[in-house]
Amino acid sequence: MNPILVLGAGPAGLSAAAEIAELGAPTILVEREAYLGGNPKRWHYSLLAPDLRPSDEILGPLIAKVEGNPRVELHRSTTVTKAERLPKGFRVTLKTGDALETQEVSAVVLATGFDHFDSRRKFEYGYGRYPDVLDFKELEGMIHDDRVLRPSDGKPPRRIAWILCVGSRDLQVGNPWCCRMGCAVSIKQAVEIRQKHPEIDAYVYYMDIRTYGLWEDLYWKSMQEYGVKFIRGRIGQVTIAEGGSQLLATGEDTILRRPTEVPFDMIVLASGMEPGTGTQEAAALFGVPVGPEGFLTPNLSDMNPVDSGLPGVFLAGAATGPKAIPDSVTEGMGAALRAYQYARN
Amino acid sequence: MPIVEKSLVTVDRSDRLEMEGIDVSGDWNTFLRSRVQTDLDVRILDWVRSQPQGDTISRCWQCGTCTAGCCLHTDYGLNEFNPRYFIYLAQVGYEEELRKYATTIWRCVSCNKCVERCPKGVKVEEVIHTIGSYLEFTGGAPESPADRFDRAYTENLLRRGVLDEASLFRTYERLEGRTMPAGEMLKMGFQLLRSGRLRTGPLAHRTRGWRQFGNVLREKLKEDERRRRASLSAAGGRGGHSP
């Protein structure tokens, strides 16, 4: 049997590669970056919602299953530049630096993931102009290192606001979908900060809170146990407050039905999920249809969410839409099984 | 009836417009600026949360189940009694707005329907009263006749351990700055005396051992007051965040 190609070494790809190897088939795992672990590693995610477990505790074992596995051939800093369809599978060209290598594979799992929305595109919030307006993925790193300080003057903030749905549910930036993670991750960050620094006041500006399913518990706890405060309304713009040292968030408190202009020391943007560059490239390479949002479209998203509908091409993780790590891991397992079944016959 | 501030109206129109008998002809030449909330004050919420009866306040997510079932709000049509709104004002620390309801808040009849129905387990009735206490302790509400009566009542009771209705009546009348005509007072007093419902002067009841017990009670009240002040100043010490 020719090896099965897994594209992308985030949670979904790692899980797929590990399971294919477990089934006894040879696997080629290709990752664009020099490290394994995808976005969670790239942005040094701290604790993961909803159980507040360190991300390394979840990614570590996944990576360990793949690294040093004799059935997994690892290609870091590598991209696929060409894919030709064979009667069964593909002939793919792998590019590492300047070196090109051709391999024949019997099936492909696309686990090419998402990119965080570039918050500079939501220019009203001043991200990229005001140093104390952060993207929440940057705050992850700060919390991870326990150095939550204002980038402008290095002082600890007294009051932080989170703005949800930045680059999500927003026609102005062309992203009408929900990122599914923003609520939970922002609330989790507020909880982490309140745990370590109860003197910092945490406010979340929201339209709806979508901590779906059992994640609701995190939301409830954040209010009751950690005193995180929620204000309903979408912030319209962020400017510099009088005096120059604080940020001014202008919005409407839709419960008070009153405009609010409140100063904050730090403003954190919950940037949404967009189809990753790798996902767009993979769609073109393997001819997988994409939906209006740009994510890969499974053939039958309800019955068989990991099948692309094209022979030998399987999908897993956030390449098909915003997804949490546990869901991505599960889809990696499903895609592994489906790819193995296809390759074996 | 509309409020018309003539200085805000330019009268350069010939059309005559009258509303409820008031001349409102002309064009409005100004907009009233909307009130902007410019700060979030954590003091009220912190204090309410720190109280044993108030700690469930931060669970509230403003669904309105409490207000929907509130007998004052719905059955009695007291629209301004809105427990959900009181909680929100306390949560975001909008004290100025909250103070408007400093007396309304005490009209709760403690039917506890809100507590029974709250999906998040907020003890709404207790929380509302804790918010009311905060407003009262921080001296916001203008003293109402009921407040003055309460004060007179407590002082009267502390004197002998039992009410002296005649002196309570006199004190309260004095606090309200009015006096009942002597004839009527005599008539009412005589009726009450005859029916045995009023005992005053040498006939007054006494509580045995009151001197000792009263001292303990006074001490306890003082202690409560001290504790209350301490908790308020602790909450106040955290302060706002104005730059």
PDB file of all heavy atoms in Angstrom, chain B residues 1-26:
ATOM      1  N   MET B   1     -48.483  65.778  29.598  1.00  0.00           N
ATOM      2  CA  MET B   1     -48.365  67.158  29.134  1.00  0.00           C
ATOM      3  C   MET B   1     -46.932  67.426  28.676  1.00  0.00           C
ATOM      4  O   MET B   1     -45.995  67.123  29.399  1.00  0.00           O
ATOM      5  CB  MET B   1     -48.744  68.114  30.283  1.00  0.00           C
ATOM      6  CG  MET B   1     -48.849  69.557  29.840  1.00  0.00           C
ATOM      7  SD  MET B   1     -49.285  70.628  31.222  1.00  0.00           S
ATOM      8  CE  MET B   1     -51.019  70.250  31.423  1.00  0.00           C
ATOM      9  N   PRO B   2     -46.747  67.945  27.456  1.00  0.00           N
ATOM     10  CA  PRO B   2     -45.370  68.135  26.979  1.00  0.00           C
ATOM     11  C   PRO B   2     -44.665  69.268  27.721  1.00  0.00           C
ATOM     12  O   PRO B   2     -45.311  70.234  28.139  1.00  0.00           O
ATOM     13  CB  PRO B   2     -45.558  68.475  25.498  1.00  0.00           C
ATOM     14  CG  PRO B   2     -46.941  69.031  25.413  1.00  0.00           C
ATOM     15  CD  PRO B   2     -47.736  68.436  26.518  1.00  0.00           C
ATOM     16  N   ILE B   3     -43.393  69.084  27.873  1.00  0.00           N
ATOM     17  CA  ILE B   3     -42.590  70.145  28.497  1.00  0.00           C
ATOM     18  C   ILE B   3     -41.996  70.957  27.364  1.00  0.00           C
ATOM     19  O   ILE B   3     -41.342  70.435  26.482  1.00  0.00           O
ATOM     20  CB  ILE B   3     -41.451  69.534  29.335  1.00  0.00           C
ATOM     21  CG1 ILE B   3     -42.045  68.657  30.409  1.00  0.00           C
ATOM     22  CG2 ILE B   3     -40.570  70.624  29.922  1.00  0.00           C
ATOM     23  CD1 ILE B   3     -41.049  67.725  31.050  1.00  0.00           C
ATOM     24  N   VAL B   4     -42.253  72.239  27.361  1.00  0.00           N
ATOM     25  CA  VAL B   4     -41.753  73.060  26.274  1.00  0.00           C
ATOM     26  C   VAL B   4     -40.831  74.123  26.845  1.00  0.00           C
ATOM     27  O   VAL B   4     -41.249  74.979  27.622  1.00  0.00           O
ATOM     28  CB  VAL B   4     -42.904  73.717  25.488  1.00  0.00           C
ATOM     29  CG1 VAL B   4     -42.346  74.569  24.373  1.00  0.00           C
ATOM     30  CG2 VAL B   4     -43.818  72.649  24.937  1.00  0.00           C
ATOM     31  N   GLU B   5     -39.570  74.040  26.464  1.00  0.00           N
ATOM     32  CA  GLU B   5     -38.604  75.056  26.876  1.00  0.00           C
ATOM     33  C   GLU B   5     -38.519  76.044  25.715  1.00  0.00           C
ATOM     34  O   GLU B   5     -37.965  75.734  24.668  1.00  0.00           O
ATOM     35  CB  GLU B   5     -37.264  74.393  27.166  1.00  0.00           C
ATOM     36  CG  GLU B   5     -36.102  75.331  27.390  1.00  0.00           C
ATOM     37  CD  GLU B   5     -36.368  76.312  28.514  1.00  0.00           C
ATOM     38  OE1 GLU B   5     -36.720  75.856  29.613  1.00  0.00           O
ATOM     39  OE2 GLU B   5     -36.240  77.534  28.284  1.00  0.00           O
ATOM     40  N   LYS B   6     -39.119  77.194  25.903  1.00  0.00           N
ATOM     41  CA  LYS B   6     -39.293  78.115  24.780  1.00  0.00           C
ATOM     42  C   LYS B   6     -37.970  78.550  24.173  1.00  0.00           C
ATOM     43  O   LYS B   6     -37.873  78.814  22.977  1.00  0.00           O
ATOM     44  CB  LYS B   6     -40.097  79.357  25.229  1.00  0.00           C
ATOM     45  CG  LYS B   6     -41.593  79.093  25.242  1.00  0.00           C
ATOM     46  CD  LYS B   6     -42.136  78.983  23.814  1.00  0.00           C
ATOM     47  CE  LYS B   6     -43.606  78.567  23.806  1.00  0.00           C
ATOM     48  NZ  LYS B   6     -44.033  78.173  22.452  1.00  0.00           N
ATOM     49  N   SER B   7     -36.946  78.609  24.989  1.00  0.00           N
ATOM     50  CA  SER B   7     -35.669  79.093  24.461  1.00  0.00           C
ATOM     51  C   SER B   7     -35.085  78.119  23.446  1.00  0.00           C
ATOM     52  O   SER B   7     -34.174  78.445  22.699  1.00  0.00           O
ATOM     53  CB  SER B   7     -34.680  79.302  25.611  1.00  0.00           C
ATOM     54  OG  SER B   7     -34.338  78.044  26.158  1.00  0.00           O
ATOM     55  N   LEU B   8     -35.602  76.896  23.419  1.00  0.00           N
ATOM     56  CA  LEU B   8     -35.067  75.915  22.494  1.00  0.00           C
ATOM     57  C   LEU B   8     -35.864  75.869  21.191  1.00  0.00           C
ATOM     58  O   LEU B   8     -35.627  75.028  20.344  1.00  0.00           O
ATOM     59  CB  LEU B   8     -35.075  74.522  23.139  1.00  0.00           C
ATOM     60  CG  LEU B   8     -34.322  74.372  24.465  1.00  0.00           C
ATOM     61  CD1 LEU B   8     -34.381  72.947  24.949  1.00  0.00           C
ATOM     62  CD2 LEU B   8     -32.871  74.801  24.309  1.00  0.00           C
ATOM     63  N   VAL B   9     -36.818  76.742  21.074  1.00  0.00           N
ATOM     64  CA  VAL B   9     -37.686  76.707  19.899  1.00  0.00           C
ATOM     65  C   VAL B   9     -37.570  78.009  19.129  1.00  0.00           C
ATOM     66  O   VAL B   9     -37.618  79.095  19.708  1.00  0.00           O
ATOM     67  CB  VAL B   9     -39.157  76.491  20.342  1.00  0.00           C
ATOM     68  CG1 VAL B   9     -40.062  76.451  19.130  1.00  0.00           C
ATOM     69  CG2 VAL B   9     -39.293  75.210  21.134  1.00  0.00           C
ATOM     70  N   THR B  10     -37.371  77.900  17.813  1.00  0.00           N
ATOM     71  CA  THR B  10     -37.367  79.108  16.996  1.00  0.00           C
ATOM     72  C   THR B  10     -38.774  79.285  16.420  1.00  0.00           C
ATOM     73  O   THR B  10     -39.324  78.376  15.830  1.00  0.00           O
ATOM     74  CB  THR B  10     -36.374  78.994  15.821  1.00  0.00           C
ATOM     75  OG1 THR B  10     -36.570  77.732  15.205  1.00  0.00           O
ATOM     76  CG2 THR B  10     -34.951  79.116  16.306  1.00  0.00           C
ATOM     77  N   VAL B  11     -39.311  80.452  16.629  1.00  0.00           N
ATOM     78  CA  VAL B  11     -40.685  80.670  16.166  1.00  0.00           C
ATOM     79  C   VAL B  11     -40.644  81.389  14.842  1.00  0.00           C
ATOM     80  O   VAL B  11     -40.814  82.595  14.771  1.00  0.00           O
ATOM     81  CB  VAL B  11     -41.484  81.468  17.214  1.00  0.00           C
ATOM     82  CG1 VAL B  11     -42.979  81.396  16.893  1.00  0.00           C
ATOM     83  CG2 VAL B  11     -41.225  80.938  18.597  1.00  0.00           C
ATOM     84  N   ASP B  12     -40.345  80.665  13.765  1.00  0.00           N
ATOM     85  CA  ASP B  12     -40.367  81.327  12.464  1.00  0.00           C
ATOM     86  C   ASP B  12     -41.360  80.633  11.553  1.00  0.00           C
ATOM     87  O   ASP B  12     -41.246  80.653  10.356  1.00  0.00           O
ATOM     88  CB  ASP B  12     -38.962  81.343  11.837  1.00  0.00           C
ATOM     89  CG  ASP B  12     -38.359  79.959  11.792  1.00  0.00           C
ATOM     90  OD1 ASP B  12     -39.034  79.004  12.222  1.00  0.00           O
ATOM     91  OD2 ASP B  12     -37.222  79.829  11.327  1.00  0.00           O
ATOM     92  N   ARG B  13     -42.315  79.960  12.139  1.00  0.00           N
ATOM     93  CA  ARG B  13     -43.324  79.309  11.326  1.00  0.00           C
ATOM     94  C   ARG B  13     -44.689  79.878  11.644  1.00  0.00           C
ATOM     95  O   ARG B  13     -44.987  80.228  12.785  1.00  0.00           O
ATOM     96  CB  ARG B  13     -43.331  77.800  11.608  1.00  0.00           C
ATOM     97  CG  ARG B  13     -42.248  77.064  10.843  1.00  0.00           C
ATOM     98  CD  ARG B  13     -42.181  75.654  11.300  1.00  0.00           C
ATOM     99  NE  ARG B  13     -43.530  75.048  11.335  1.00  0.00           N
ATOM    100  CZ  ARG B  13     -43.729  73.785  11.658  1.00  0.00           C
ATOM    101  NH1 ARG B  13     -42.734  73.005  11.992  1.00  0.00           N
ATOM    102  NH2 ARG B  13     -44.946  73.299  11.668  1.00  0.00           N
ATOM    103  N   SER B  14     -45.484  79.956  10.567  1.00  0.00           N
ATOM    104  CA  SER B  14     -46.803  80.532  10.800  1.00  0.00           C
ATOM    105  C   SER B  14     -47.801  79.478  11.272  1.00  0.00           C
ATOM    106  O   SER B  14     -48.794  79.802  11.911  1.00  0.00           O
ATOM    107  CB  SER B  14     -47.310  81.204   9.516  1.00  0.00           C
ATOM    108  OG  SER B  14     -47.190  80.281   8.447  1.00  0.00           O
ATOM    109  N   ASP B  15     -47.510  78.187  10.938  1.00  0.00           N
ATOM    110  CA  ASP B  15     -48.464  77.157  11.362  1.00  0.00           C
ATOM    111  C   ASP B  15     -48.564  77.165  12.877  1.00  0.00           C
ATOM    112  O   ASP B  15     -47.560  77.218  13.576  1.00  0.00           O
ATOM    113  CB  ASP B  15     -48.007  75.740  10.962  1.00  0.00           C
ATOM    114  CG  ASP B  15     -47.507  75.682   9.535  1.00  0.00           C
ATOM    115  OD1 ASP B  15     -47.612  76.708   8.847  1.00  0.00           O
ATOM    116  OD2 ASP B  15     -47.011  74.617   9.142  1.00  0.00           O
ATOM    117  N   ARG B  16     -49.784  77.082  13.299  1.00  0.00           N
ATOM    118  CA  ARG B  16     -49.962  77.088  14.742  1.00  0.00           C
ATOM    119  C   ARG B  16     -50.223  75.651  15.183  1.00  0.00           C
ATOM    120  O   ARG B  16     -51.048  74.938  14.619  1.00  0.00           O
ATOM    121  CB  ARG B  16     -51.145  77.977  15.110  1.00  0.00           C
ATOM    122  CG  ARG B  16     -51.129  78.361  16.569  1.00  0.00           C
ATOM    123  CD  ARG B  16     -52.239  79.345  16.876  1.00  0.00           C
ATOM    124  NE  ARG B  16     -52.720  79.125  18.230  1.00  0.00           N
ATOM    125  CZ  ARG B  16     -52.007  79.423  19.314  1.00  0.00           C
ATOM    126  NH1 ARG B  16     -50.810  79.946  19.197  1.00  0.00           N
ATOM    127  NH2 ARG B  16     -52.495  79.190  20.514  1.00  0.00           N
ATOM    128  N   LEU B  17     -49.447  75.212  16.122  1.00  0.00           N
ATOM    129  CA  LEU B  17     -49.591  73.826  16.594  1.00  0.00           C
ATOM    130  C   LEU B  17     -49.827  73.849  18.099  1.00  0.00           C
ATOM    131  O   LEU B  17     -49.081  74.473  18.853  1.00  0.00           O
ATOM    132  CB  LEU B  17     -48.321  73.021  16.278  1.00  0.00           C
ATOM    133  CG  LEU B  17     -48.342  71.548  16.692  1.00  0.00           C
ATOM    134  CD1 LEU B  17     -49.415  70.777  15.936  1.00  0.00           C
ATOM    135  CD2 LEU B  17     -46.977  70.938  16.432  1.00  0.00           C
ATOM    136  N   GLU B  18     -50.874  73.177  18.459  1.00  0.00           N
ATOM    137  CA  GLU B  18     -51.204  73.179  19.885  1.00  0.00           C
ATOM    138  C   GLU B  18     -51.314  71.740  20.355  1.00  0.00           C
ATOM    139  O   GLU B  18     -51.916  70.902  19.688  1.00  0.00           O
ATOM    140  CB  GLU B  18     -52.530  73.913  20.084  1.00  0.00           C
ATOM    141  CG  GLU B  18     -52.591  74.660  21.396  1.00  0.00           C
ATOM    142  CD  GLU B  18     -53.828  75.545  21.462  1.00  0.00           C
ATOM    143  OE1 GLU B  18     -54.873  75.038  21.884  1.00  0.00           O
ATOM    144  OE2 GLU B  18     -53.729  76.740  21.080  1.00  0.00           O
ATOM    145  N   MET B  19     -50.708  71.429  21.470  1.00  0.00           N
ATOM    146  CA  MET B  19     -50.835  70.085  22.027  1.00  0.00           C
ATOM    147  C   MET B  19     -51.338  70.198  23.449  1.00  0.00           C
ATOM    148  O   MET B  19     -50.709  70.851  24.273  1.00  0.00           O
ATOM    149  CB  MET B  19     -49.480  69.348  22.027  1.00  0.00           C
ATOM    150  CG  MET B  19     -49.155  68.697  20.688  1.00  0.00           C
ATOM    151  SD  MET B  19     -47.459  68.100  20.661  1.00  0.00           S
ATOM    152  CE  MET B  19     -47.633  66.647  21.689  1.00  0.00           C
ATOM    153  N   GLU B  20     -52.423  69.560  23.721  1.00  0.00           N
ATOM    154  CA  GLU B  20     -53.024  69.572  25.049  1.00  0.00           C
ATOM    155  C   GLU B  20     -53.079  70.993  25.596  1.00  0.00           C
ATOM    156  O   GLU B  20     -52.705  71.244  26.743  1.00  0.00           O
ATOM    157  CB  GLU B  20     -52.244  68.655  26.004  1.00  0.00           C
ATOM    158  CG  GLU B  20     -52.331  67.197  25.588  1.00  0.00           C
ATOM    159  CD  GLU B  20     -51.494  66.295  26.467  1.00  0.00           C
ATOM    160  OE1 GLU B  20     -51.289  66.627  27.647  1.00  0.00           O
ATOM    161  OE2 GLU B  20     -51.066  65.238  25.983  1.00  0.00           O
ATOM    162  N   GLY B  21     -53.477  71.887  24.747  1.00  0.00           N
ATOM    163  CA  GLY B  21     -53.675  73.250  25.176  1.00  0.00           C
ATOM    164  C   GLY B  21     -52.407  74.077  25.276  1.00  0.00           C
ATOM    165  O   GLY B  21     -52.428  75.209  25.723  1.00  0.00           O
ATOM    166  N   ILE B  22     -51.277  73.489  24.862  1.00  0.00           N
ATOM    167  CA  ILE B  22     -50.026  74.247  24.974  1.00  0.00           C
ATOM    168  C   ILE B  22     -49.499  74.557  23.586  1.00  0.00           C
ATOM    169  O   ILE B  22     -49.484  73.685  22.702  1.00  0.00           O
ATOM    170  CB  ILE B  22     -48.986  73.441  25.777  1.00  0.00           C
ATOM    171  CG1 ILE B  22     -49.444  73.382  27.236  1.00  0.00           C
ATOM    172  CG2 ILE B  22     -47.606  74.080  25.686  1.00  0.00           C
ATOM    173  CD1 ILE B  22     -48.508  72.717  28.141  1.00  0.00           C
ATOM    174  N   ASP B  23     -49.054  75.777  23.373  1.00  0.00           N
ATOM    175  CA  ASP B  23     -48.564  76.199  22.077  1.00  0.00           C
ATOM    176  C   ASP B  23     -47.165  75.638  21.851  1.00  0.00           C
ATOM    177  O   ASP B  23     -46.223  75.997  22.567  1.00  0.00           O
ATOM    178  CB  ASP B  23     -48.561  77.737  22.032  1.00  0.00           C
ATOM    179  CG  ASP B  23     -47.964  78.232  20.726  1.00  0.00           C
ATOM    180  OD1 ASP B  23     -47.956  77.441  19.756  1.00  0.00           O
ATOM    181  OD2 ASP B  23     -47.520  79.398  20.699  1.00  0.00           O
ATOM    182  N   VAL B  24     -47.053  74.747  20.868  1.00  0.00           N
ATOM    183  CA  VAL B  24     -45.723  74.198  20.582  1.00  0.00           C
ATOM    184  C   VAL B  24     -45.311  74.522  19.148  1.00  0.00           C
ATOM    185  O   VAL B  24     -44.541  73.793  18.543  1.00  0.00           O
ATOM    186  CB  VAL B  24     -45.673  72.658  20.835  1.00  0.00           C
ATOM    187  CG1 VAL B  24     -45.773  72.339  22.288  1.00  0.00           C
ATOM    188  CG2 VAL B  24     -46.768  71.935  20.051  1.00  0.00           C
ATOM    189  N   SER B  25     -45.818  75.632  18.598  1.00  0.00           N
ATOM    190  CA  SER B  25     -45.474  76.015  17.220  1.00  0.00           C
ATOM    191  C   SER B  25     -43.988  76.299  17.124  1.00  0.00           C
ATOM    192  O   SER B  25     -43.345  76.693  18.104  1.00  0.00           O
ATOM    193  CB  SER B  25     -46.235  77.272  16.804  1.00  0.00           C
ATOM    194  OG  SER B  25     -47.526  77.252  17.331  1.00  0.00           O
ATOM    195  N   GLY B  26     -43.465  76.136  15.909  1.00  0.00           N
ATOM    196  CA  GLY B  26     -42.064  76.463  15.694  1.00  0.00           C
ATOM    197  C   GLY B  26     -41.210  75.225  15.486  1.00  0.00           C
ATOM    198  O   GLY B  26     -41.681  74.096  15.574  1.00  0.00           O
TER     199      GLY B  26
END
